[in-house]
Amino acid sequence: MLKWLKVLITVGVLGGLSVTAIVYGVLSLSLPALDGRGYSSALEAPTKLSRDSLGHAVINAQSRADAAYAMGYAHGQDRFFQMDLLRRNAAGELSELFGEGAISLDKSMRFHQFRLRSEQIVKAMAPQERQLLENYAKGVNEGRMQSGVPSFEYLLLSADAKPWRPADSLLVIYSMYLDLQSATFRRDKTLIYIAELFGQEMVDFILQPSTFQAALDGSQINSSIVNIPELPNDGKLVEQLHIQASPLYGSNNWAVTGELTKTGAAMVSDDMHLGLNVPSIWYRVQLNYASHQGENVQVTGVSLPGVPAIVVGSNDHIAWGFTNGYLDTADWVKLTDSDEIEQVTQTILLPDGQSHTYDLLMSQFGPVKAFNDKQYALQWVAHQSYAVNLNLLKFETVKSVDQALLVARNIGIPVQNLMVVDAQGNAAWQPTGALPARVFPNDLSVPSSRAEKAHWQVNEEQRPSVMNPSNGKLWTANSRVMSALDQRRFGDGGYALGARALQIRDRLLAQQQFTEADFNALQLDNEAKFLKPWHTLLSETLVAAQAGSQEHKQALAYLKQWQACACSDSVGYTLVKAYRTQVIDILFARLEQQLKQHDETLSHLKRYFEPALWQLIERQPQSWLNGHESWQALLVEAHIQSKKTLAAKHGTQMANWQWGNVNALTVQHPFSKQMPVLSRFLDMPTVPGFGDSFMPAVQGKDFGASQRFIAQPGYLNNAVMTVAGGQSGHPLSPYYRSGFDAYAEGKLTPLLPGDITHTIELLPQQSEQH
């Protein structure tokens, strides 16, 4: 029997090794070549695509059009499936890959008609711009097909990859609109329901301005005294539904003028906060080419695969970075019976040639959705013809901050806080991206009789800006940057609370000279300034309720040594963070419950709660007790419930609730999320958490700084670009995980590429004969 058992084990092991070898062999066939020679009819002159030890793509071309081809070639080799998902998501075409389970998601995306809009914009482009997109698309397709074998994702899905087309690059930009701005109109939709269910008083209560304001001009928005609305109180405990905060897609950036650096050049920092996945959203590229004026151009930074542009980086004359602007760029228009609505039939393709059809409603103001027993049209800047263009490419040849601000007025991307510096020591902030010229922003719906249709069709040229402030310091972090007066003009599209911006501002104001190391230290600042009042509240609550409770004593001991930071070994930080979350869930349970009955949630408004929370805690209104005997009982119960939640997820031993474990950085491939067996092959290593919300070092389990960039134009040898993942999407590539360890450990990775290790020569088609 033992002999047969050994035989079976041996056969099983050999079988497993054989399967592994087969899988490895198939995957190896789809690995892109890193050296060699290729030919293309798209090229006008010989071009080189090189890579360094990180996989940083270095392109040497004779023209921008040839550089676009090589950039597409690199993206097609390393990131095609990621690009495919981005274009399909924006166009509402995921069902063709994933089947009927994706139909509802596709319908929500088809609502915006981005495929049609992309094709119309390409058609209207100047010939030179359209040619650049065509060159890029040809590079993508020829780079993808170079290996001759589809990547593993298509093999697993039993699907064919469709060729890349010029309009697809615009769809990738639209995908960023969906990530960065859809919370704006979802926020307004929730507010419409709150006004209907609880009245305007509740809207005002939730939206009251906070003390966490760090506008560049120091202006404050002071609201009149906001009353606490009365809630219906039958004495019964309302079921607590966890209010999941919607991701605050945003970023930090700041800059100082040359007066505050040893070199005399201004310096900028930028870290963009996005979902962290495998592969990383960004792709490192350096472009070297000759401009139309015959000047040699070198620009280095990160690109978004699918788009032939450097998104954040430096040309050694200027350096620039972005944070999401959160200006009000969307309104719901309440329609009447006299407003014309037409039906547009949509066909969603499914695998195996099947399809699903449905009708989309359209109006003169935009696509139509029925909710709150009424019909509303969505006016959104992303639906306008100026929403997407290639003007970001003009930054590559800009030589000063003044020039950059002029270009920035007409860049077709989601509205961003541009932070730009130059080698002469100048630094400036200005909103860039598509911004409607409409005059009256709205939190609630607009009657169709007052909708500013004509103004929506015009991109706003007059924009606030700040250049070379007297203190030499600028900062943004997704909260209000502009003056209180400009805020009335441009509105609030879902601003961050402001705690991050305040902490960044205070750090900058406390120092008068800066180096790249100083900026990096601020990027990694995880001091929990925002949570200190909550730490005090929880500590005082437990002291008052202790009465010999051993569990309370243990919690108090951890609170005493919490270190006031989102540090990996802090249990006290975990307790405070969980406590605040639970207090919110208890206090807003009645609102969340009623909203859920209408398929709504407070998630998109949670970032506003802080002023209302402290008003409730300090005034202790009886109608908000949610069935508890007293406010002391409610606050104690919040701690007890938060511990139960932590115990359910992380075990009953409080010592295991260290923040590094609770908030461990877990960066996964989309496939491993659905098939955990693939996790060990596809995911990045799990590392202890090192940051959180409401502080410069933003980090969740799968969310945070997607890159960290620091640069002084003219001194790029000291510049930094650390990216949250490797260059390649192929799990057998040497560049699949390259750079992730440095990111996770907070180390600095150079902006400029290192020594070249691989080169592909790309030649015009006619050169093949020679």
Side-chain angles (χ1 to χ4, degrees), residues 130-250:
R130 189 163 55 247
Q131 183 63 52
L132 191 143
L133 280 182
E134 289 172 355
N135 271 30
Y136 176 80
K138 190 152 191 178
V140 169
N141 294 324
E142 293 179 357
R144 175 183 68 83
M145 297 180 69
Q146 168 268 314
S147 69
V149 175
S151 64
F152 78 95
E153 296 96 342
Y154 295 102
L155 294 175
L156 285 175
L157 292 169
S158 299
D160 294 325
K162 286 192 168 183
W164 195 262
R165 298 187 293 170
D168 294 337
S169 290
L170 305 191
L171 282 169
V172 171
I173 301 175
Y174 278 126
S175 74
M176 298 308 293
Y177 271 97
L178 291 166
D179 275 351
L180 300 178
Q181 288 189 3
S182 59
T184 295
F185 55 80
R186 289 173 180 166
R187 160 196 180 272
D188 289 0
K189 183 166 172 273
T190 304
L191 288 171
I192 291 169
Y193 271 105
I194 290 175
E196 182 78 18
L197 295 170
F198 302 98
Q200 183 65 41
E201 190 178 39
M202 185 65 77
V203 173
D204 295 339
F205 179 62
I206 290 174
L207 294 184
Q208 59 184 303
S210 77
T211 57
F212 297 94
Q213 299 182 55
L216 292 174
D217 70 342
S219 62
Q220 297 284 309
I221 297 177
N222 299 313
S223 68
S224 54
I225 296 175
V226 177
N227 294 321
I228 299 176
E230 287 286 320
L231 287 180
N233 189 1
D234 54 10
K236 295 180 181 178
L237 186 68
V238 176
E239 178 190 2
Q240 294 170 35
L241 302 170
H242 177 53
I243 304 169
Q244 183 69 46
S246 60
L248 185 68
Y249 293 112

Side-chain angles (χ1 to χ4, degrees), residues 404-680:
L405 295 182
L406 288 174
V407 170
R409 294 177 184 175
N410 292 292
I411 292 177
I413 57 174
V415 66
Q416 301 287 297
N417 292 306
L418 167 68
M419 196 69 74
V420 58
V421 301
D422 64 27
Q424 290 75 44
N426 302 300
W429 158 83
Q430 179 178 290
T432 188
L435 189 58
R438 68 94 148 77
V439 180
F440 300 105
N442 297 275
D443 289 324
L444 303 177
S445 62
V446 183
S448 59
S449 59
R450 291 200 292 107
E452 302 176 61
K453 182 183 175 185
H455 288 159
W456 275 95
Q457 297 169 356
V458 178
N459 188 37
E460 178 61 70
E461 287 280 337
Q462 301 302 315
R463 298 166 183 240
S465 64
V466 177
M467 181 171 170
N468 296 339
S470 59
N471 63 13
K473 300 162 186 177
L474 296 165
W475 57 86
T476 83
N478 312 123
S479 53
R480 178 176 64 88
V481 178
M482 62 184 62
S483 69
L485 184 61
D486 285 330
Q487 158 84 351
R488 293 171 59 185
R489 162 67 183 85
F490 293 102
D492 177 357
Y495 279 135
L497 175 66
R500 271 187 294 125
L502 203 64
Q503 195 159 329
I504 291 167
R505 181 202 70 181
D506 291 348
R507 296 286 196 226
L508 291 174
L509 294 180
Q511 195 167 332
Q512 292 306 314
Q513 282 286 308
F514 297 88
T515 64
E516 286 85 354
D518 295 324
F519 271 24
N520 182 243
L522 182 46
Q523 288 177 339
L524 301 177
D525 178 12
N526 66 354
E527 184 179 352
K529 286 189 171 185
F530 171 77
L531 283 182
K532 285 180 180 178
W534 288 96
H535 174 268
T536 300
L537 177 66
L538 177 54
S539 299
E540 291 176 349
T541 298
L542 295 186
V543 167
Q546 193 173 173
S549 167
Q550 190 59 40
E551 285 193 10
H552 288 349
K553 286 180 180 178
Q554 186 182 19
L556 281 166
Y558 281 119
L559 289 171
K560 190 173 181 179
Q561 28 181 312
W562 80 307
Q563 303 174 66
C565 64
C567 297
S568 294
D569 60 349
S570 177
V571 173
Y573 182 87
T574 302
L575 292 173
V576 176
K577 177 69 184 289
Y579 180 66
R580 178 180 181 270
T581 299
Q582 194 63 49
V583 170
I584 290 173
D585 288 349
I586 292 174
L587 290 178
F588 287 89
R590 193 175 296 275
L591 274 71
E592 182 72 358
Q593 185 187 66
Q594 290 199 40
L595 286 170
K596 284 289 187 182
Q597 294 172 9
H598 299 273
D599 198 28
E600 274 296 323
T601 175
L602 288 167
S603 292
H604 305 299
L605 298 172
K606 193 171 180 179
R607 65 192 67 168
Y608 291 93
F609 284 177
E610 198 67 8
L613 282 170
W614 284 104
Q615 196 173 350
L616 289 168
I617 291 167
E618 289 165 4
R619 298 190 186 179
Q620 303 190 351
Q622 292 296 304
S623 69
W624 285 73
L625 276 175
N626 190 13
H628 294 88
E629 293 181 1
S630 66
W631 273 86
Q632 171 68 7
L634 183 153
L635 294 173
V636 171
E637 182 63 20
H639 172 64
I640 293 171
Q641 291 299 323
S642 66
K643 287 199 303 180
K644 287 181 179 178
T645 301
L646 288 168
K649 292 181 179 179
H650 306 286
T652 57
Q653 296 298 314
M654 203 177 290
N656 294 331
W657 300 351
Q658 292 182 339
W659 183 244
N661 296 330
V662 171
N663 194 45
L665 182 62
T666 309
V667 182
Q668 295 184 276
H669 191 282
F671 279 25
S672 73
K673 293 177 182 179
Q674 305 301 320
M675 295 175 278
V677 68
L678 298 176
S679 183
R680 60 177 293 198

Side-chain angles (χ1 to χ4, degrees), residues 248-500:
L248 185 68
Y249 293 112
S251 311
N252 301 324
N253 64 19
W254 57 85
V256 296
T257 59
E259 296 173 351
L260 304 182
T261 68
K262 293 179 180 178
T263 64
M267 184 162 57
V268 67
S269 168
D270 186 83
D271 52 283
M272 296 180 281
H273 306 156
L274 296 164
L276 302 180
N277 297 291
V278 178
S280 164
I281 189 169
W282 305 116
Y283 187 88
R284 302 170 66 108
V285 179
Q286 182 183 84
L287 302 179
N288 299 273
Y289 64 92
S291 71
H292 288 297
Q293 290 73 36
E295 294 185 34
N296 291 328
V297 177
Q298 181 181 88
V299 57
T300 312
V302 290
S303 62
L304 176 63
V307 182
I310 300 295
V311 177
V312 165
S314 176
N315 63 6
D316 214 20
H317 298 288
I318 66 167
W320 70 92
F322 298 118
T323 71
N324 200 25
Y326 283 107
L327 280 64
D328 190 350
T329 55
D331 283 332
W332 289 103
V333 177
K334 186 162 61 175
L335 302 177
T336 66
D337 293 339
S338 61
D339 289 309
E340 292 186 11
I341 297 175
E342 65 171 318
Q343 291 185 342
V344 179
T345 300
Q346 294 289 295
T347 300
I348 296 176
L349 299 180
L350 297 167
D352 303 323
Q354 300 177 43
S355 63
H356 172 84
T357 60
Y358 73 101
D359 289 328
L360 176 68
L361 301 180
M362 298 292 294
S363 75
Q364 62 172 317
F365 305 106
V368 177
K369 184 181 289 288
F371 61 90
N372 194 31
D373 298 324
K374 302 174 186 68
Q375 284 190 315
Y376 299 86
L378 178 62
Q379 282 186 313
W380 184 21
V381 73
H383 297 161
Q384 310 306 319
S385 60
Y386 56 84
V388 171
N389 60 40
L390 298 183
N391 286 343
L392 181 60
L393 275 68
K394 294 181 180 180
F395 272 6
E396 296 174 8
T397 53
V398 163
K399 294 185 177 178
S400 71
V401 163
D402 282 323
Q403 292 177 17
L405 295 182
L406 288 174
V407 170
R409 294 177 184 175
N410 292 292
I411 292 177
I413 57 174
V415 66
Q416 301 287 297
N417 292 306
L418 167 68
M419 196 69 74
V420 58
V421 301
D422 64 27
Q424 290 75 44
N426 302 300
W429 158 83
Q430 179 178 290
T432 188
L435 189 58
R438 68 94 148 77
V439 180
F440 300 105
N442 297 275
D443 289 324
L444 303 177
S445 62
V446 183
S448 59
S449 59
R450 291 200 292 107
E452 302 176 61
K453 182 183 175 185
H455 288 159
W456 275 95
Q457 297 169 356
V458 178
N459 188 37
E460 178 61 70
E461 287 280 337
Q462 301 302 315
R463 298 166 183 240
S465 64
V466 177
M467 181 171 170
N468 296 339
S470 59
N471 63 13
K473 300 162 186 177
L474 296 165
W475 57 86
T476 83
N478 312 123
S479 53
R480 178 176 64 88
V481 178
M482 62 184 62
S483 69
L485 184 61
D486 285 330
Q487 158 84 351
R488 293 171 59 185
R489 162 67 183 85
F490 293 102
D492 177 357
Y495 279 135
L497 175 66
R500 271 187 294 125

